[in-house]
Amino acid sequence: MKRTRLGFTLPEVLISLTISIVVLTAGTNFALSSWQARRSWMVKESVDRNARFVGLSLARDVQEAGVAIESTPVFASVGSFNDTLTVISVPFEPNEAPVYPIYNDGGVDPNYPVGGNCGAQCIELNKVNNTYLLQAGDLVRLQVGGSRRLLYLTNVSNQGSRFTITFLNVNLFLRRDSGLNNLLLARAGTSVQKLKAVVYWRDASTQTLWRAD
């Protein structure tokens, strides 16, 4: 009587285990390499996307800089410090922002006393076309002869045929000279014009590049 064999022999088991291990190892390596390739692609895509954003934004913002306010050692329209880049320009909406001359009270001295002409942090200006387009929160350029200062406006008020501005009492704003420190306002040749500022900075906590205006 012929006996039927049940089960597997030891060599068969060893061969099956060897083949299974080879197949499993190959599959694991393939999956790992695919995951690493996908992660690398995602990182590269993120870097490329950020680079395109920075490139296009900088190209647009820097193009606008230097219009009616050129880059000079006295007052640069493009500046950087640490991981922050600032671009300052005169807005066109659609025309160039008006230039408001200082009110001349007719005094004999070519300069006003120390401070503004209506207070320590206050300047009285003439309207243009009987109006003005400045408001609190605006950034403006104060031009006194060849000197320039950045002013961040805290209040703008109507004074009949003229208007007054008050501004933040700081010596530096966006790393540029600000306020009236050691600056006398000339009765002629002093003016104010609205500016636009664009700031790029890196948030180290989130590893994110930000842009604000």
Side-chain angles (χ1 to χ4, degrees):
M1 182 176 178
K2 187 176 178 181
R3 299 178 59 186
T4 302
R5 189 184 67 175
L6 300 175
F8 300 96
T9 63
L10 181 59
E12 290 174 332
V13 172
L14 293 177
I15 291 172
S16 298
L17 286 175
T18 302
I19 294 174
S20 299
I21 291 173
V22 170
V23 172
L24 183 61
T25 302
T28 302
N29 290 338
F30 177 79
L32 183 61
S33 63
S34 298
W35 179 82
Q36 290 175 336
R38 176 173 173 77
R39 179 173 175 79
S40 175
W41 177 83
M42 291 176 63
V43 171
K44 181 178 181 300
E45 177 63 19
S46 177
V47 171
D48 288 345
R49 185 168 57 250
N50 288 336
R52 287 194 298 270
F53 166 77
V54 173
L56 291 173
S57 298
L58 280 178
R60 181 192 63 209
D61 295 331
V62 174
Q63 264 187 339
E64 294 179 356
V67 179
I69 175 171
E70 70 280 3
S71 297
T72 69
V74 176
F75 193 102
S77 56
V78 179
S80 63
F81 54 94
N82 297 329
D83 56 1
T84 301
L85 175 70
T86 61
V87 181
I88 295 177
S89 60
V90 174
F92 282 70
E93 300 169 339
N95 299 317
E96 180 182 356
V99 177
Y100 302 99
I102 194 170
Y103 167 66
N104 189 341
D105 63 1
V108 177
D109 194 306
N111 297 323
Y112 281 101
V114 177
N117 62 345
C118 57
Q121 301 298 132
C122 175
I123 301 177
E124 189 172 9
L125 301 162
N126 291 323
K127 295 179 180 179
V128 173
N129 296 326
N130 201 35
T131 189
Y132 60 91
L133 302 175
L134 299 178
Q135 59 185 356
D138 281 346
L139 184 68
V140 301
R141 174 194 66 184
L142 171 65
Q143 183 86 37
V144 184
S147 298
R148 291 171 171 174
R149 300 287 174 89
L150 273 186
L151 302 179
Y152 180 80
L153 303 187
T154 55
N155 187 61
V156 180
S157 59
N158 187 23
Q159 302 294 331
S161 62
R162 299 183 293 275
F163 70 101
T164 61
I165 61 171
T166 57
F167 43 89
L168 203 61
N169 184 19
V170 293
N171 294 329
L172 286 175
F173 194 85
L174 297 178
R175 289 297 180 95
R176 293 165 172 84
D177 290 335
S178 180
L180 302 180
N181 187 32
N182 299 322
L183 180 67
L184 294 177
L185 298 180
R187 285 185 163 85
T190 296
S191 63
V192 165
Q193 185 178 29
K194 183 178 179 179
L195 298 177
K196 181 181 73 173
V198 178
V199 182
Y200 294 87
W201 76 97
R202 174 178 170 272
D203 186 344
S205 63
T206 60
Q207 302 293 312
T208 304
L209 180 67
W210 292 91
R211 176 189 181 276
D213 54 20

